[in-house]
Amino acid sequence: MKTIIYTCPYIPAEWIAAHGLHASRIVPDHVDADLSLARAEGVCPYVRSFIGQVMADKEAGGAVLTTVCDQMRRAFDIIVRNGAIPAFLMNVPNTWQTPAAQALYIDELKRLGRFLVQLGGTSPSDEALAEVMLEYDDARTSIRSAREYLSARRFADAIAQNRVCNKLHTLHAEPLVEGVPLALAGGPLMRSDYELFDMVEQLGGRIVLDATETGDRGMCPEFDRARLRKDPLRELARAYFGSIPDASRRPNSDLYEWLERELIGRAVRGIIFRRYLWCDLWHAELGRLKDRIELPVLDIDSAGENHLERPRISNRIRAFLEMLQ
Amino acid sequence: MIDAPERITLEEWDLRYEKLYRAGLPQPAYGGPLSRHVSDGDHRLLKLRYDNSPAALRLWNFLLTEEDRLHRARAAGKKIVGTMKDLGTVPVMAYSFDNMVAFYPDGAWWIPCVMEYSAGLLEIADSLGIDESFCPVRAMLGAFVTEAHFPIPNMLICSVGATCDDFSAIAQRLNGLGHSIFWWEIPHRRCPEQAEATAELPGGLSAPRCQVEFVKSELARVKVALEQLAGAELDEERLSAGIRQANLVRQSLAELRYLAFTAEPCPIPALEMLVAEMLAIHYCSDRGETMVVLEELLDEVKVRVRAGRGVLDADAAKIFWVNPVADLQVMNLLEDCGGRLCGTEYLFTHALDPIPENVPPLEALARAALADPMAGSSIDRAERICSDVCRFGAEAVLISRIPGASHCALEGQVISEVVADTLGIPVLEIEVPPVADSMSPTVRTRLEALAETVRARRRSRQNRWRNG
């Protein structure tokens, strides 16, 4: 079975899987960064690593990118020109309120479907799509219900694992550390960034809300099963395009509504705002977050040099937690 | 009075202005000596070199008095629309109403340059969390906060989707500060699939029919919003008339660009051409006067071309310029280093290409909007650049990176590769901040090297030709 790699949360893995292909949401790492790019300055470290990983992948059947961020849109041009595997750029509108934007998203899913068929996939019937959607929905429900008895790191790992294979190893309960409840907010994390969860726990805190793109925030909500049976593709679009809050949306008020709800619901006392240098979409939200959310915010920027940044990040988190304790 | 065309300083312009004034130079209401703008804080003017024609004087005075025009428009009861990011589409709709003017708050990105940072706009942007890792368009935030550079518009309309992240993020920050924004979506322009209905776009591009329909529906939403603001309907006839007027401006500019980029010697400096091109986007808040200003400049250039006179040496290296510069002085620097403009792609070719007049007006605007180089791939953009390089006969391409701009980080590589593969001519990248004084030696060295490379290639070609 061919594997289709992607990273954007607005790409439904179910749609790829329903075409008989393996959907793998990759979590790139700093070490994957494409060093062949003409220049590094100005390039978001995540995009750089994503390009590197796609370019190095000789096994995948195809890569799917989206227009959600400008640099990822440009990354598609690089991959198309120099990469070895077929690539597809999916238009994900920034506006979301109009029926036209929602219809565009559905049309783009259908266009993605045609790309998948070209790669050897099979166009799914409504029943087949519904079945795959239910399977993914069940897996996500298992993950969500495990949140209360998993460490933040294990919970984040479970989400990532689900995205790679939609199968979960048994999620055993583990003793949870007590600590200042924190939220981690921002764009996607890279593999080695997952050490942040451990770091926070070692320093006396606990991430109770993973509001990154690779965490809770990027997970599509539960499907409405009645609507799913009636029109699965429409329900897929509603759940993904209509429900995942993100900094890129215009306006992005839904991101703040989601955050406010979750922050209160999980009694969060402080926010670690994790952003990449040159990621304008998230960087611009920092000031707004501070204006709007009445919680202390710690800004952690990353240029993708984890080994150099670790001591600085650790010191900043330590100071942040001392202030909160 | 017939004077040889040349590039002169502001001081020299003052002396010349006196002479022209005494000789009875006819001037519009916004006319006057250029140096008066320095007292408004436009200190960069002291360091620029200008074309010495009365037509250029009018062009500069027109540009530098836009704020006054906007205030007058408001005082006259007109509605002011701040159009953001689309660069050339929504203003065509806005100017089709009798009681509306449109301008781009994005234009504030030149204020740090023109006022040499004295306006403090970037510091305000910094304080709002929008620091120097963003493109200089962040100055717009400061301009909204100080309300000192343009009247706050009655309505803000911003295109999002296939745009740069800097602007989208800054506009969202502005929205978060309480400025209501009407968002409309411009999708990433893609190649039509096999057997998919296709529509031709300006600039020789094409797009799937469904994308044109989508943009048309978005512009229909914009139209309704504008009608509500204006309290008047914008019917097809009025919108078509607005498109015809826009095309007159574009036609005049096309003629000016062709002469400016191809005539030898170069008849008009790069800086004035940059300003002239900017007029096509929103007419500097007066569409009728834009036509007059451009026609006068075009007449001047025609006279010079007929007389075989120009402002630069005949052997100046012919450079195609990509992206607008944050520091206007760098356009002077190109010429000081032995280069001349021979084609430009300032990210708004869709505001220069004629809008189709053989289709319904909203569809025509949708096609124009989709032809935005920012909306398509860097590969499309590079191919258009190659086509224009050939058309104007440029010998090298200069990519002027905009500091912090999300698109510049990766597209330069694609453009360089495509140009090199297709045309085999030199490509050079420079980065230009709003005030490039501290980087001037580096930029100068690179520009000189480019001009020398071009001349060396010419010599090499001539030698090969002589040697059969």
Side-chain angles (χ1 to χ4, degrees):
Chain A
M1 187 190 285
K2 278 187 180 171
T3 296
I4 305 299
I5 54 175
Y6 70 100
T7 184
C8 177
Y10 290 106
I11 298 172
E14 295 90 326
W15 187 237
I16 297 171
H19 282 77
L21 301 169
H22 176 223
S24 176
R25 185 174 177 190
I26 56 175
V27 183
D29 201 7
H30 304 277
V31 294
D32 299 322
D34 185 353
L35 303 176
S36 68
L37 286 178
R39 57 194 296 262
E41 194 195 338
V43 184
C44 157
Y46 187 86
V47 170
R48 197 173 163 80
S49 293
F50 180 80
I51 293 174
Q53 186 159 353
V54 173
M55 297 291 221
D57 196 330
K58 310 292 180 210
E59 305 297 320
V64 181
L65 289 81
T66 70
T67 57
V68 163
C69 98
D70 190 29
Q71 293 213 351
M72 208 46 106
R73 186 162 72 99
R74 312 277 166 190
F76 175 77
D77 295 338
I78 304 271
I79 290 168
V80 156
R81 275 182 62 78
N82 306 322
I85 59 174
F88 180 88
L89 181 65
M90 180 171 162
N91 235 317
V92 175
N94 284 159
T95 53
W96 47 274
Q97 320 85 324
T98 65
Q102 292 150 16
L104 176 62
Y105 179 78
I106 292 178
D107 285 346
E108 286 293 289
L109 282 181
K110 290 176 181 169
R111 196 167 67 84
L112 170 60
R114 292 194 288 276
F115 172 75
L116 298 174
V117 168
Q118 280 170 14
L119 296 182
T122 310
S123 188
S125 63
D126 278 358
E127 292 73 23
L129 174 60
E131 195 179 320
V132 175
M133 285 169 66
L134 288 170
E135 193 185 316
Y136 272 77
D137 207 34
D138 288 344
R140 280 190 293 263
T141 304
S142 304
I143 294 173
R144 285 197 185 94
S145 59
R147 180 192 291 133
E148 303 311 321
Y149 59 83
L150 290 183
S151 69
R153 169 67 179 261
R154 288 272 324 275
F155 183 61
D157 282 341
I159 295 174
Q161 188 191 346
N162 169 250
R163 281 166 181 155
V164 173
C165 61
N166 193 35
K167 286 188 175 56
L168 297 170
H169 297 300
T170 311
L171 298 172
H172 294 296
E174 56 188 3
L176 299 182
V177 296
E178 290 294 318
V180 179
L182 299 176
L184 180 65
L189 296 181
M190 287 201 250
R191 272 201 306 279
S192 47
D193 294 334
Y194 282 67
E195 68 185 29
L196 268 173
F197 296 101
D198 299 330
M199 190 188 283
V200 167
E201 290 192 359
Q202 285 157 12
L203 295 170
R206 184 177 178 225
I207 302 292
V208 295
L209 172 63
D210 180 0
T212 65
E213 190 174 301
T214 34
D216 265 4
R217 184 178 58 75
M219 249 203 309
C220 112
E222 274 184 59
F223 294 128
D224 178 315
R225 301 220 165 184
R227 284 194 292 229
L228 186 154
R229 285 189 193 90
K230 193 174 168 197
D231 188 344
L233 182 58
R234 189 164 294 277
E235 175 57 9
L236 190 67
R238 185 203 62 79
Y240 274 85
F241 181 66
S243 307
I244 297 177
D246 192 58
S248 63
R249 290 156 80 92
R250 295 293 173 266
N252 60 17
S253 41
D254 58 340
L255 170 67
Y256 287 89
E257 285 158 17
W258 181 87
L259 267 176
E260 281 163 349
R261 197 173 55 240
E262 296 295 324
L263 292 169
I264 291 169
R266 301 191 202 183
V268 170
R269 290 180 49 204
I271 301 170
I272 297 177
F273 187 83
R274 171 70 166 57
R275 64 183 172 87
Y276 296 107
L277 197 61
W278 309 115
C279 171
D280 297 330
L281 291 175
W282 278 99
H283 188 175
E285 294 307 319
L286 175 61
R288 190 141 166 257
L289 187 74
K290 287 176 176 173
D291 289 349
R292 183 153 169 176
I293 307 280
E294 289 181 1
L295 283 175
V297 178
L298 176 70
D299 176 27
I300 301 279
D301 63 339
S302 169
E305 306 281 353
N306 271 32
H307 57 293
L308 298 175
E309 293 168 353
R310 195 173 293 119
R312 175 177 62 92
I313 292 174
S314 170
N315 272 337
R316 285 177 62 77
I317 293 175
R318 187 193 315 273
F320 188 59
L321 282 165
E322 278 174 19
M323 183 194 72
L324 291 174
Q325 275 161 348
Chain B
M1 180 164 35
I2 299 172
D3 292 308
E6 60 176 332
R7 296 186 306 142
I8 59 175
T9 62
L10 193 68
E11 201 177 343
E12 288 167 334
W13 239 124
D14 277 354
L15 296 172
R16 179 166 168 70
Y17 178 81
E18 281 304 315
K19 278 190 209 166
L20 291 168
Y21 182 74
R22 281 198 295 274
L25 172 75
Q27 291 188 84
Y30 57 81
L34 280 184
S35 60
R36 76 186 197 279
H37 301 292
V38 176
S39 58
D40 295 338
D42 298 346
H43 304 295
R44 199 65 175 162
L45 300 182
L46 291 164
K47 295 176 185 154
L48 301 179
R49 294 181 75 188
Y50 308 84
D51 182 79
N52 67 341
S53 66
L57 175 72
R58 185 169 190 158
L59 174 75
W60 279 103
N61 273 324
F62 184 51
L63 175 77
L64 296 169
T65 53
E66 184 177 13
E67 188 189 340
D68 302 339
R69 266 191 300 288
L70 286 170
H71 283 294
R72 274 202 306 278
R74 168 145 296 164
K78 291 194 172 187
K79 301 292 184 191
I80 298 178
V81 178
T83 47
M84 296 156 77
K85 194 67 210 120
D86 68 287
L87 298 183
T89 303
V90 173
V92 176
M93 300 170 85
Y95 281 96
S96 300
F97 291 94
D98 296 328
N99 62 343
M100 200 177 278
V101 291
F103 78 105
Y104 280 91
D106 324 17
W109 94 307
W110 263 312
I111 295 174
C113 163
V114 174
M115 301 186 76
E116 292 191 333
Y117 296 135
S118 62
L121 302 187
L122 298 183
E123 287 83 347
I124 294 171
D126 283 342
S127 73
L128 294 168
I130 307 295
D131 64 18
E132 70 280 0
S133 69
F134 289 83
C135 147
V137 80
R138 67 196 179 101
M140 179 182 78
L141 268 185
F144 270 97
V145 170
T146 61
E147 300 186 21
H149 301 278
F150 49 72
I152 299 301
N154 300 93
M155 177 183 269
L156 289 172
I157 299 176
C158 183
S159 66
V160 286
T163 62
C164 61
D165 282 349
D166 299 79
F167 197 87
S168 175
I170 292 167
Q172 178 62 73
R173 187 76 179 100
L174 183 66
N175 186 219
L177 293 174
H179 292 272
S180 176
I181 295 179
F182 183 98
W183 309 97
W184 66 281
E185 183 85 25
I186 182 81
H188 174 80
R189 185 184 67 243
R190 63 175 173 83
C191 294
E193 292 178 338
Q194 218 173 9
E196 190 175 21
T198 301
E200 283 180 19
L201 307 182
L205 298 163
S206 66
R209 178 83 236 158
C210 61
Q211 284 201 319
V212 174
E213 289 299 324
F214 175 80
V215 177
K216 202 169 113 184
S217 73
E218 288 295 281
L219 291 177
R221 287 202 302 123
V222 173
K223 183 168 96 71
V224 170
L226 289 174
E227 286 173 335
Q228 284 168 354
L229 179 67
E233 193 193 345
L234 180 57
D235 59 24
E236 285 210 355
E237 198 178 323
R238 291 176 77 170
L239 188 52
S240 296
I243 288 174
R244 282 195 296 277
Q245 290 295 315
N247 279 342
L248 287 177
V249 171
R250 294 174 188 215
Q251 191 181 325
S252 183
L253 194 53
E255 203 177 343
L256 179 63
R257 289 177 84 234
Y258 188 76
L259 288 174
F261 298 154
T262 59
E264 292 188 28
C266 175
I268 183 100
L271 188 50
E272 276 71 18
M273 280 308 296
L274 171 66
V275 175
E277 289 200 28
M278 299 301 299
L279 297 189
I281 299 175
H282 76 283
Y283 320 117
C284 220
S285 304
D286 186 338
R287 190 176 59 191
E289 186 62 16
T290 286
M291 270 310 294
V292 177
V293 168
L294 285 178
E295 284 298 328
E296 199 169 297
L297 203 59
L298 180 59
D299 288 344
E300 176 70 30
V301 166
K302 282 178 177 171
V303 167
R304 291 178 180 182
V305 172
R306 272 198 297 272
R309 302 168 100 178
V311 289
L312 300 171
D313 290 342
D315 74 335
K318 298 174 179 176
I319 309 296
F320 190 99
W321 195 290
V322 178
N323 292 335
V325 276
D327 185 351
L328 300 170
Q329 198 183 25
V330 175
M331 303 311 288
N332 285 163
L333 195 56
L334 168 75
E335 295 169 336
D336 297 343
C337 294
R340 64 168 285 190
L341 268 196
C342 187
T344 54
E345 206 281 38
Y346 291 140
L347 273 170
F348 53 81
T349 46
H350 62 301
L352 305 180
D353 293 325
I355 305 167
E357 292 188 31
N358 58 349
V359 294
L362 216 49
E363 161 140 5
L365 288 177
R367 292 189 191 202
L370 261 178
D372 184 343
M374 181 72 88
S377 74
S378 309
I379 300 167
D380 277 359
R381 193 174 173 215
E383 286 170 354
R384 168 72 187 254
I385 288 167
C386 287
S387 161
D388 284 355
V389 163
C390 294
R391 181 168 164 242
F392 296 126
E395 299 166 290
V397 171
L398 183 79
I399 301 171
S400 165
R401 280 199 309 267
I402 301 164
S406 62
H407 57 99
C408 285
L410 290 170
E411 74 179 353
Q413 177 176 347
V414 175
I415 294 171
S416 300
E417 286 174 2
V418 172
V419 170
D421 292 351
T422 311
L423 304 174
I425 60 173
V427 184
L428 182 75
E429 278 197 70
I430 58 171
E431 184 161 292
V432 179
V435 175
D437 292 354
S438 61
M439 293 177 65
S440 180
T442 310
V443 175
R444 176 181 283 273
T445 304
R446 290 176 73 78
L447 292 176
E448 282 172 348
L450 185 64
E452 278 170 28
T453 304
V454 165
R455 280 194 284 271
R457 284 166 59 90
R458 267 188 214 160
R459 281 195 298 275
S460 162
R461 261 200 318 273
Q462 283 162 358
N463 289 342
R464 279 204 305 274
W465 183 75
R466 279 196 207 104
N467 298 332

